[in-house]
Structures are given as structure tokens and as C-alpha cells.
Amino acid sequence: MKKVFTLSLLFFSYFSASTAKADEDIPRVIKLSPKKITQHNVDLPLNQFRALEILAEKNVSSHQVPRPYTMPDTAVHGELFGSDINANGIRDDYERMLLKSYQRSEYVAMGILAAERWDKLLRLLHSQEQIKTSFQALELFNDNMAINQCYYSLQKVDISLISPVLSYFNNEQLLDAKYQAELLLLDIIGNDQANFTFHQKPCERFADFAKSVKKGKLAAL
């Protein structure tokens, strides 16, 4: 059990800092031409054009950010995925955080792609239809490891970058659900735990995630 507990903590062991709460009223507009990042300082897994395509497909725009309004608390009603007013598959409070915290479209797109894997992890608590085999469980585990490693490596160069992980798992219910889902994932993996992968180029997984997103027209950001 100690081994399982230790392994389950690997998902987010790279990050301990929490994100600062963004202003609730005025969304920060994503800049199309922020200070240039090159291969010599930060090696981003997505270019700006591909990032904007992802935002367009997901209907994510700083001009259409879901407005906060009074509603039952997530933890009280046991809803792990919260509200999604604009029905784009992204939890509203998390979507607002991405648009207000990151001026780069690349970072917003990365946050969306990461959340899709975290959603998949939490859905294990309701159904194992998507994760039935140890291979599928290992793939999800390794994907989450790669997400953590990628943000960690980018933070070494871009000191302003903050991982969105604690903004996604932002209350005790979600943190406990993450822990329980990780234990379930490890249980499915079983004796294949020796096949855990530490990617040499973890950010490349974001490029792989992006390939599964249907290309659409650019959003008006």
C-alpha cells in the first residue's frame, strides 16, 4: 500500500506553488503578439497558429469568457466537473482562470489539453468504460506524468509560467477525487507498474494531444 500511495503522488509532485486568484470582473485579453519566445529560450510544444486553432475549435475566447454568477458550490452538490455555461466541455471557473492568467494563446491551449486528461482521470470514479486495460491505464498515467514534467521544464526558463494543475484541482473534494482516481488507475495497472515512463521530451505529448483536436477556423481573440 505504501508503494501505491507513493506512486499515486507522482502525478503532481513537481508543483507546490498555488496560482494567484485572478480578477473576477475584467478578463485579460490574449495578445496575438506578446514578447517573442524562440527555440533559444522556451521550446513550446505548440506554435501560436495551432494554439489559436484549438481555441477556435473549443470556442474559447477572451471576448466570450463565462461570467461568474451565484450558483450552488461544487463541493456541496458533489459535481466534480462544475458548471459549463457555454457548453464547450471546459469547467467555467477553470476557463476563466486560463484566459485571465495567461496572455499567450499557446499556454491557454496547453491548459485546455491538460484538462482533458484530468477530466478523463476523474471520470474513472463514475465509469471505467474508457479505461479498461492496463495499457490504457498506463497511457493515461504516463500522459499525466508528461504534463507535469513539461510544465516543470518550461518553468525553468519562463519563470512567469504557473502550472494550471492547482487551479483545476482547486478544492478539497477535487483533490480527494484525484487521489481516489489515481489509486483506481494504479489498481487497473496492477503488475505493469514497472512500465511507467518518464518521457525524455515530455512537452512533445502536448503536440500529440493537439493532433486529436479537430482543426477549425481561427477564433476572434
Side-chain angles (χ1 to χ4, degrees):
M1 180 64 187
K2 182 177 180 181
K3 180 179 180 181
V4 172
F5 176 79
T6 301
L7 287 171
S8 69
L9 295 178
L10 285 175
F11 275 159
F12 307 113
S13 61
Y14 293 100
F15 308 104
S16 59
S18 61
T19 56
K21 184 176 180 181
D23 180 77
E24 289 292 336
D25 297 318
I26 303 176
R28 182 179 296 176
V29 177
I30 297 173
K31 295 181 179 179
L32 292 180
S33 300
K35 183 178 179 181
K36 187 175 182 180
I37 286 181
T38 71
Q39 298 295 319
H40 299 293
N41 47 38
V42 178
D43 187 12
L44 295 177
L46 305 172
N47 60 39
Q48 188 181 63
F49 184 81
R50 185 68 188 103
L52 291 174
E53 285 187 321
I54 292 171
L55 300 191
E57 178 60 30
K58 297 294 184 180
N59 293 320
V60 173
S61 169
S62 54
H63 294 299
Q64 301 175 23
V65 59
R67 307 299 296 180
Y69 72 102
T70 303
M71 64 176 297
D73 183 73
T74 297
V76 173
H77 281 255
E79 291 291 339
L80 293 180
F81 299 99
S83 64
D84 182 15
I85 299 173
N86 56 356
N88 63 353
I90 305 169
R91 202 176 73 212
D92 290 336
D93 67 300
Y94 182 75
E95 184 176 350
R96 286 195 298 272
M97 183 283 300
L98 291 176
L99 291 169
K100 293 174 183 178
S101 300
Y102 303 121
Q103 290 190 338
R104 293 187 177 279
S105 57
E106 299 97 315
Y107 287 158
V108 177
M110 286 175 62
I112 292 171
L113 295 174
E116 289 181 344
R117 272 68 201 171
W118 297 330
D119 284 349
K120 192 173 184 179
L121 175 67
L122 292 182
R123 280 196 291 270
L124 270 177
L125 298 177
H126 297 288
S127 172
Q128 295 183 29
E129 285 300 311
Q130 290 186 309
I131 307 293
K132 295 181 179 180
T133 68
S134 60
F135 175 81
Q136 292 171 323
L138 268 172
E139 183 178 45
L140 180 57
F141 186 95
N142 290 336
D143 282 349
N144 278 275
M145 289 293 296
I147 289 170
N148 293 341
Q149 290 174 299
C150 180
Y151 277 109
Y152 181 70
S153 64
L154 291 177
Q155 286 172 324
K156 289 182 178 179
V157 181
D158 186 352
I159 60 175
S160 66
L161 175 63
I162 298 176
S163 168
V165 62
L166 292 179
S167 292
Y168 181 92
F169 299 101
N170 61 357
N171 60 47
E172 291 185 7
Q173 184 196 18
L174 284 170
L175 287 171
D176 181 66
K178 174 184 73 68
Y179 173 71
Q180 297 300 327
E182 289 169 357
L183 290 180
L184 182 55
L185 192 65
L186 289 168
D187 186 55
I188 297 173
I189 292 171
N191 294 330
D192 289 331
Q193 292 183 13
N195 294 322
F196 289 145
T197 300
F198 290 88
H199 294 277
Q200 295 301 311
K201 296 182 178 180
C203 288
E204 289 184 356
R205 288 300 293 151
F206 277 97
D208 294 333
F209 300 158
K211 292 177 183 178
S212 65
V213 179
K214 181 180 178 181
K215 294 184 179 181
K217 62 182 179 180
L218 296 182
L221 297 176

